[in-house]
Amino acid sequence: CGSCGHACTAGQTCTNSACVSTTGTAGTTGSGTAGTTGSGTAGTKGAGGTTGAAGTTGTAGTTGTGGSGARACAPASANVISDFEDGTGDVIVQGGRQGWWYVFGDTLGGTQTPASNATGPVVVAAATDPLPTGDTDSCDKWAMHSTGTGHSASNTSSYEGFGTSMDQIIPPPASGSKTKNAVDVSAFDGISFNIKSGSGTAPPVWFELGNTETTPAPDGVATNNAVDEYNTRGKLLSTIGTTWTTVYIPFGLLAPRYLPSLTASGCSNASTVCQAPAWNPKSLLGLQFSVYPQFSTTTLNYDLWVDDVTLYSGANGLATVAPTGGTPAHTFPIDAAVGTCTKPAGASGKYLADMYVQWKAKFVTGSGSSTRVQRPENSNDTVSEGIGYGMLIAVAFGDKTLFDGLWSYSQAHVATGMLMTWDISSSGSNAGTGSATDADEDMAYALIEAGKQWGGTYAATAKTMIGQIYTSDIDATAMLPTGGSNYVTVTGGGKATNPSYFAPYYYRVFAGVDTAHTSQWNTVASNVYAAISNIETQVGTQGLLPAWCSSSASATGSLCNGVSSNGGTDDKLYQYDAHRVPWRLGLDYCFNGSSVPASGKTFLTNNAAFFASKATTGVGRIVDIYTLSGSPNSDAEPNSMSIIGTAGVGAMAVGNTFASTAYHFVLDASYTPASFIPDTTGKIAYTYFNATVGMITALTMSGNFPTF
């Protein structure tokens, strides 16, 4: 405090370079004669009289109304970080620690209030009506109010904001020394606060939590600016209005500010861990309300009020998904066991509800029988695979309204029987011909699970549809799935087939439903593994299969013995279609491991080992398209939830720790605002296929994929 540099004790604050009581109110004037007693001064919180020239110290006056620095009321909760009622900017003392509030900004121009203070907390403002909900005039006299103007949104080096340390080292140490200690908040589930804009609509604000892992020395250990230094975890606040709003930030939904990848200069160093640091609740240094040009291309000017910053326990801030259209037998989240497989650490459905709400808002359009899943990257068309995925997701979340809408849409656009035409334009006209086997299988399986959720006629409909799949999509000679209803055969040099359509877990379920073809479905389940083994023999043991394969003879042993194409540029590569192979086979291995031949485990083991090796120095080194020898293709992009999530399911099946890396990446990529910001070529990471397949793999790894 002041020039002497010592800390004031509890119940005191530093005023005019002296420690004075904060518990008293203004005193009345003291009395005394010169040389014996000093005279008290009214309005100084009972600081006492001044010293006479030659006498003893005068007696302090009695208390009055108090001034800045007088705590109005005790904290509303023992977990309050700061309610600002100490009248400075200090974090409320908890467990012997104390922090302070500060402002920060670049040196490129602009101004901020309050004024920065290098050796203590900034000045807080008098609270103004209306106060946050639950606060009263008698207990809420102060709040944090900060403004910033003149910082350029067009300059990528600009930044500004305000924040607080959690455990400040007091008095301030010498320059270059550690200034704050880490605090363990692992006993809590999140942080809440009240916030409003003082004028107009605020720019997007990145609420960020600084850890030792994302802070450079001397306070932290982060070393690489392009990868981990200042790559804080937080949440983007995009709709801050002019009325007080209580915001809850669950720790389980914290996402990195950006996703490091090979395109980042820091990842060009092979020894750098090219991955956002994980959230560590035991190393929290502080929190900030920050404005960056990364999130705003118009203005960085802000006028923000913040109050009642508090640690909390519970589910506040997590979305909940209420059942629609009926009462499901299994409400979300289920968090069931995934067969014999061990789920990734921390995998829980409660963190996926927000993902579902976001996915539905982004990709589901229409209502009633016009409800569909669209592909914004492809002129908002709809493919049957998207309807199948949507039906699976709807069953998992108990969303009968969505399920029925998607199923109705599929039946309004059939290719044959109940099998949907594979591609429908945004106008509703057929953009493709025939069905796609993978979509047919997903829809039929979703109908089976819908029957378990809601009863009714779903099970009977599923049985009929499975019979049609057997007739239209299965090559009766090879007993192997074709590409769809327009693909007559895959034998004798016939049309190519797609290994990612092989769904042995489904086939074992179909065998119990379509009793007219029970033995045939079991044979198909066995044959897909023979085909996988055949093609892997042709392409090597990287665990990477082509999207399409062909057969040169009708014998089962010759199925998928060659790399083929269906007309696509990347069909002979490990691309988006092929991504799904470890998910479909991994699902079967987790639930039917004893029935899976050794070749199935061999493929999953090879696939998991490949991706684990790529992620040794960071998941950001994994791209979305590989040659079959394991090299990134020339058109490959990083940060694909599809390739990483599906490989994670396969890794979970064989006990590879890459499963945990993959699961947490899918959450990071779903929640980080960086996934929605176009790169230099205009591409974003949160695409229809990445987001949808990513969600399905997260459901699978957390035990929430429908296997009722």
Side-chain angles (χ1 to χ4, degrees):
C1 177
S3 59
C4 59
H6 70 271
C8 297
T9 61
Q12 295 183 322
T13 190
C14 186
T15 302
N16 297 326
S17 299
C19 291
V20 297
S21 170
T22 62
T23 56
T25 50
T28 57
T29 303
S31 62
T33 58
T36 57
T37 60
S39 64
T41 303
T44 59
K45 303 167 294 181
T50 57
T51 304
T56 59
T57 301
T59 302
T62 58
T63 60
T65 59
S68 176
R71 166 163 283 283
C73 293
S77 165
N79 302 326
V80 168
I81 294 173
S82 190
D83 64 2
F84 303 99
E85 295 312 298
D86 288 321
T88 60
D90 288 350
V91 176
I92 292 172
V93 176
Q94 299 178 60
R97 63 175 173 77
Q98 179 173 299
W100 61 41
W101 286 78
Y102 54 85
V103 296
F104 64 91
D106 58 61
T107 58
L108 304 175
T111 60
Q112 287 177 273
T113 63
S116 180
N117 182 357
T119 59
V122 296
V123 177
V124 299
T128 60
D129 290 325
L131 298 171
T133 301
D135 291 347
T136 64
D137 287 318
S138 62
C139 288
D140 200 328
K141 296 182 178 297
W142 312 101
M144 182 69 197
H145 183 207
S146 180
T147 64
T149 60
H151 292 258
S152 173
S154 61
N155 190 326
T156 57
S157 297
S158 292
Y159 61 88
E160 60 180 333
F162 57 96
T164 183
S165 53
M166 294 290 288
D167 189 3
Q168 191 74 33
I169 295 176
I170 303 174
S175 177
S177 300
K178 183 178 180 180
T179 63
K180 55 182 70 76
N181 297 310
V183 172
D184 184 350
V185 294
S186 58
F188 301 94
D189 294 310
I191 291 179
S192 68
F193 49 84
N194 291 309
I195 190 170
K196 71 173 181 176
S197 175
S199 59
T201 301
V205 174
W206 181 238
F207 174 76
E208 56 187 339
L209 300 178
N211 294 70
T212 57
E213 293 87 351
T214 58
T215 303
D219 292 328
V221 297
T223 58
N224 194 301
N225 181 264
V227 177
D228 51 21
E229 192 173 304
Y230 306 118
N231 190 10
T232 54
R233 286 185 173 264
K235 182 177 178 62
L236 190 65
L237 310 177
S238 301
T239 56
I240 303 173
T242 54
T243 58
W244 284 106
T245 300
T246 301
V247 176
Y248 292 91
I249 308 293
F251 292 149
L253 299 186
L254 293 176
R257 183 177 153 199
Y258 50 85
L259 297 173
S261 69
L262 289 173
T263 57
S265 59
C267 289
S268 61
N269 184 337
S271 63
T272 298
V273 178
C274 190
Q275 182 172 318
W279 161 246
N280 182 0
K282 296 184 178 182
S283 66
L284 181 62
L285 293 172
L287 57 91
Q288 293 184 160
F289 296 83
S290 306
V291 184
Y292 296 112
Q294 176 186 1
F295 307 120
S296 177
T297 58
T298 55
T299 180
L300 300 188
N301 295 342
Y302 72 88
D303 180 353
L304 293 173
W305 288 80
V306 169
D307 204 357
D308 304 320
V309 185
T310 307
L311 292 163
Y312 71 86
S313 298
N316 287 335
L318 295 173
T320 56
V321 180
T324 66
T327 302
H330 308 275
T331 57
F332 188 87
I334 307 162
D335 287 340
V338 188
T340 59
C341 291
T342 301
K343 293 187 284 190
S348 173
K350 66 182 179 181
Y351 300 126
L352 305 185
D354 287 82
M355 192 186 301
Y356 176 65
V357 171
Q358 176 177 279
W359 172 85
K360 189 174 179 181
K362 176 73 173 178
F363 301 112
V364 176
T365 185
S367 60
S369 61
S370 67
T371 305
R372 63 190 180 92
V373 176
Q374 64 182 0
R375 299 191 299 181
E377 307 82 31
N378 204 60
S379 302
N380 290 321
D381 71 340
T382 290
V383 285
S384 57
E385 77 179 16
I387 299 298
Y389 294 152
M391 289 169 63
L392 290 169
I393 292 169
V395 173
F397 283 94
D399 193 340
K400 187 174 184 293
T401 300
L402 175 60
F403 185 92
D404 289 345
L406 295 174
W407 174 244
S408 294
Y409 182 87
S410 77
Q411 296 309 286
H413 300 279
V414 295
T416 180
M418 294 180 175
L419 311 186
M420 179 183 167
T421 301
W422 79 272
D423 189 10
I424 308 297
S425 71
S426 60
S427 65
S429 61
N430 288 356
T433 57
S435 72
T437 299
D438 63 323
D440 298 339
E441 294 168 340
D442 286 333
M443 289 186 211
Y445 180 77
L447 284 165
I448 294 171
E449 297 302 296
K452 298 174 184 176
Q453 276 283 50
W454 300 295
T457 61
Y458 296 116
T461 303
K463 182 174 182 178
T464 301
M465 187 177 186
I466 294 167
Q468 294 176 358
I469 292 172
Y470 180 77
T471 300
S472 299
D473 292 342
I474 303 298
D475 181 340
T477 301
M479 296 301 290
L480 197 71
T482 66
S485 62
N486 277 11
Y487 292 72
V488 179
T489 179
V490 297
T491 60
K495 293 186 177 181
T497 191
N498 191 315
S500 76
Y501 294 1
F502 300 170
Y505 173 74
Y506 289 179
Y507 305 151
R508 301 184 203 281
V509 176
F510 291 175
V513 176
D514 180 19
T515 53
H517 302 106
T518 296
S519 63
Q520 290 93 330
W521 281 118
N522 286 327
T523 298
V524 175
S526 297
N527 282 3
V528 298
Y529 285 106
I532 292 289
S533 180
N534 288 343
I535 191 61
E536 191 169 28
T537 299
Q538 298 295 317
V539 301
T541 58
Q542 294 284 2
L544 305 177
L545 300 184
W548 292 83
C549 63
S550 61
S551 306
S552 59
S554 60
T556 300
S558 297
L559 300 176
C560 275
N561 64 354
V563 176
S564 188
S565 172
N566 194 45
T569 303
D570 293 335
D571 281 359
K572 296 183 178 182
L573 305 175
Y574 190 82
Q575 40 82 294
Y576 279 86
D577 271 9
H579 294 175
R580 298 172 295 191
V581 177
W583 166 57
R584 294 199 185 276
L585 269 59
L587 193 63
D588 190 36
Y589 195 84
C590 285
F591 286 94
N592 303 298
S594 60
S595 299
V596 175
S599 60
K601 183 177 182 180
T602 297
F603 166 77
L604 291 170
T605 299
N606 291 341
N607 184 270
F610 174 82
F611 287 103
S613 69
K614 292 295 181 183
T616 299
T617 51
V619 73
R621 298 191 182 280
I622 296 176
V623 295
D624 58 351
I625 304 177
Y626 285 96
T627 66
L628 302 184
S629 62
S631 299
N633 204 51
S634 59
D635 59 346
E637 297 280 344
N639 299 320
S640 166
M641 288 178 272
S642 169
I643 198 169
I644 294 171
T646 52
V649 175
M652 179 179 67
V654 294
N656 191 304
T657 57
F658 177 73
S660 182
T661 298
Y663 173 80
H664 290 287
F665 171 81
V666 170
L667 265 64
D668 280 356
S670 294
Y671 292 132
T672 178
S675 285
F676 300 85
I677 299 174
D679 62 16
T680 55
T681 65
K683 296 180 180 179
I684 62 172
Y686 196 79
T687 60
Y688 147 76
F689 200 87
N690 272 331
T692 306
V693 174
M695 163 160 283
I696 286 176
T697 61
L699 288 169
T700 304
M701 287 187 278
S702 65
N704 288 284
F705 184 78
T707 56
F708 308 136

